[in-house]
Amino acid sequence: MSAKNLQELLDASGNTVELLRNSQLGAYIYPVVPAEFSNWRREQIAWAKTAVLFDQTHHMINLFVSGPDALKLLSDTGINSFANFPVNMAKQFVPTSPEGGVIGDGILFHLADEEYVFVGRAPVGNYLLWKGSKGYNVDLRLDARSPMRPYGKPVTRELWRFQIQGPNAWPIIEKLNGGPLEQVKFFRMGELPIKGKMVRSLRHGMSGAPGLELWGPYEDFDFVRDAILEAGAEFGIEPCGSRAYSTNTLESGWIPSPLPAIYTSPGLREYREWLPADGYEANNAIAGSFVSDNIEDYYTNPFELGYGSFIKHDHDFVGKDALAAIDQATQRRKVTLEWNSEDVTKLFGSIFDEGDGYQVFDLPNANYGSTNADAVLDADENVVGLSMFTGYSANERAALSLATISPDVPLGAEVTVVWGEPDGGTRKTVVQPHKQFAVRAIVSPAPFSKMARETYHQGWRTTSV
């Protein structure tokens, strides 16, 4: 008898870690957007040197939240304060489990009175849909992400969503505007005219330079995209393909897709019974060398992900008491690991060796799971952290990974990342039999880019993955 919901699936599997480590989800795909428009190196360099157009239309959900209890629902579930959240402001929204584990994150836009939209990955949207059904006077409308593999079928969304980013972003924006445009405060919203069409905007920034996220009705997608590329041509704008897109987080320092901390909480059993047996949470693929029998060892809390400053105890929210009891000084912290180039070269070269080589380091995004967890070891081979997102930056000319690491490990220390899974690898479709490989790495700041570190608001991400 097949499972009817996530809880039944977990009960039948008997081991949540093994279920997710052997997920048959396949490679994570950013749908619809071409893999490359020019080449991924050129597109990476554009966001650091000239300007880039990110197409964020298809890979995230839009969850529209409206009604008299919309703000109450968000306040009851988010660690963030809503004491000062006026219309035309956005914030990075982070809900946690009753035990304080992060369920996910995304960007929350305050569109109008009693009207919001959450933009991000599925776990937060699913949680809000369930929570909002528990006695709140609220209307919830889901615009689901486009399918990973449309197979030629027509794809439509309610909204298109673009970002114009890079050192030349603002001159492009002012050209679209027809003259100078005030640089409103970070994460404040406004409007921008594009060839007679007024679109909504969010003040953003990347590579230390101001930029905008823009959105509007999907039927205007081609019109607006063509207008942006036409205006940006003289400033070197490059449309960014799905292959390079996700790797900008290696430079900006946001850790995407932490494992939703929902699989064990007694207080979320009803939620697991509400979730389907074939949804995101059931198919979420854990990849990497770190293996534990306890799924909770893959959870993260807000302090580990750099969201500690978001926690405000001026309101009641799920997980408040658990987070208040945590000693922040003892928690792992977010860092960038700069991988040793000689070791990485040897890792690449193994594809030419006879027999089982190492797990392939794909370029520029090397991740092979939805949630990645590679063990980070100190000199005594103790696990001191987890490497959680890995790839290559043409701007830094380096293989990098984002990690959470023990507070006892200082910046500049050399650690070892164990790349690949034990015992030849799991049954995931993206894994071929392989050997594990130890890569030396230097513990570095997050964000890794000097300009980004000095310019970004601490903890705020710069894009949505």
Side-chain angles (χ1 to χ4, degrees):
M1 183 175 178
S2 60
K4 297 177 181 178
N5 56 57
L6 176 63
Q7 185 63 60
E8 288 188 4
L9 179 67
L10 299 179
D11 291 343
S13 73
N15 189 318
T16 303
V17 172
E18 286 301 302
L19 174 71
L20 299 182
R21 290 188 70 242
N22 290 285
S23 168
Q24 298 298 294
L25 176 66
Y28 182 88
I29 294 173
Y30 291 84
V32 182
V33 180
E36 295 171 297
F37 288 95
S38 54
N39 66 75
W40 61 263
R41 285 86 61 206
R42 179 172 171 175
E43 292 165 11
Q44 283 186 335
I45 291 168
W47 68 58
K49 301 298 184 184
T50 54
V52 71
L53 178 63
F54 289 130
D55 183 354
Q56 302 176 317
T57 303
H58 293 284
H59 72 277
M60 296 181 290
I61 69 161
N62 296 308
L63 180 66
F64 298 93
V65 184
S66 60
D69 286 347
L71 183 60
K72 176 173 172 52
L73 170 64
L74 298 168
S75 180
D76 287 352
T77 53
I79 66 175
N80 318 72
S81 174
F82 290 88
N84 180 28
F85 191 43
V87 172
N88 287 331
M89 183 177 176
K91 64 175 59 190
Q92 191 169 348
F93 176 72
V94 182
T96 55
S97 71
E99 294 75 24
V102 170
I103 292 174
D105 75 307
I107 304 303
L108 182 68
F109 299 77
H110 194 170
L111 301 175
D113 288 340
E114 299 184 353
E115 186 178 341
Y116 306 82
V117 62
F118 169 82
V119 181
R121 289 195 175 186
V124 173
N126 291 340
Y127 182 65
L128 288 174
L129 282 168
W130 171 74
K131 194 72 174 176
S133 69
K134 314 301 288 182
Y136 291 88
N137 184 4
V138 64
D139 180 68
L140 298 167
R141 189 175 84 257
L142 176 65
D143 177 26
R145 63 164 272 163
S146 299
M148 285 204 299
R149 299 168 179 86
Y151 295 119
K153 297 178 181 178
V155 174
T156 62
R157 294 297 305 274
E158 189 160 335
L159 301 172
W160 57 261
R161 190 174 300 275
F162 298 130
Q163 278 193 26
I164 307 173
Q165 299 287 3
N168 292 346
W170 208 256
I172 297 169
I173 290 164
E174 292 193 325
K175 184 176 179 180
L176 290 166
N177 187 57
L181 182 67
E182 178 187 2
Q183 294 184 18
V184 298
K185 291 182 179 179
F186 190 76
F187 262 40
R188 299 305 194 271
M189 294 157 56
E191 292 183 318
L192 181 73
I194 297 183
K195 285 193 172 182
K197 292 185 182 291
M198 193 64 70
V199 305
R200 300 198 74 168
S201 65
L202 173 69
R203 166 73 161 81
H204 234 311
M206 191 174 179
S207 300
L212 288 181
E213 180 169 323
L214 307 170
W215 67 96
Y218 187 74
E219 56 264 28
D220 295 335
F221 175 96
D222 290 325
F223 177 88
V224 173
R225 183 181 184 276
D226 291 346
I228 294 171
L229 292 176
E230 179 184 346
E234 66 174 296
F235 300 101
I237 195 169
E238 295 277 353
C240 184
S242 59
R243 193 171 177 186
Y245 169 76
S246 64
T247 61
N248 74 79
T249 194
L250 293 168
E251 300 172 25
S252 66
W254 172 62
I255 297 179
S257 194
L259 186 74
I262 57 95
Y263 296 94
T264 51
S265 172
L268 294 181
R269 182 180 180 88
E270 184 181 347
Y271 177 45
R272 295 190 295 273
E273 293 172 342
W274 178 89
L275 285 167
D278 59 353
Y280 180 100
E281 293 80 0
N283 289 300
N284 189 70
I286 296 176
S289 60
F290 177 75
V291 180
S292 170
D293 290 333
N294 185 358
I295 192 65
E296 295 181 3
D297 288 339
Y298 296 87
Y299 294 171
T300 52
N301 65 47
F303 303 110
E304 295 172 303
L305 296 177
Y307 302 154
S309 63
F310 296 177
I311 302 171
K312 302 300 179 186
H313 292 279
D314 60 355
H315 66 297
D316 289 328
F317 60 90
V318 177
K320 178 179 180 179
D321 292 342
L323 292 174
I326 293 175
D327 181 0
Q328 183 174 351
T330 65
Q331 301 305 297
R332 290 177 177 173
R333 71 191 192 283
K334 180 175 64 175
V335 297
T336 307
L337 301 179
E338 182 179 6
W339 291 27
N340 181 278
S341 59
E342 292 181 357
D343 291 350
V344 175
T345 300
K346 183 177 180 181
L347 174 58
F348 289 159
S350 77
I351 64 172
F352 301 105
D353 296 339
E354 294 291 335
D356 294 342
Y358 306 120
Q359 172 65 22
V360 170
F361 188 108
D362 208 0
L363 290 173
N365 184 334
N367 302 294
Y368 56 102
S370 308
T371 296
N372 301 279
D374 287 310
V376 179
L377 310 180
D378 64 12
D380 296 322
E381 299 191 351
N382 298 309
V383 176
V384 292
L386 294 179
S387 175
M388 300 178 66
F389 196 88
T390 304
Y392 173 82
S393 166
N395 294 307
E396 303 294 344
R397 304 287 294 203
L400 305 171
S401 64
L402 299 172
T404 61
I405 201 164
S406 167
D408 298 330
V409 181
L411 294 179
E414 183 178 286
V415 293
T416 298
V417 180
V418 181
W419 178 251
E421 298 178 325
D423 303 320
T426 55
R427 298 189 302 277
K428 287 188 289 292
T429 58
V430 292
V431 172
Q432 286 294 106
H434 62 271
K435 300 175 294 186
Q436 290 185 306
F437 184 67
V439 182
R440 292 168 290 173
I442 299 298
V443 179
S444 307
F448 186 76
S449 163
K450 179 177 184 292
M451 184 177 292
R453 289 198 305 275
E454 294 176 351
T455 307
Y456 291 165
H457 290 226
Q458 182 61 34
W460 292 79
R461 65 176 180 168
T462 60
T463 189
S464 303
V465 176

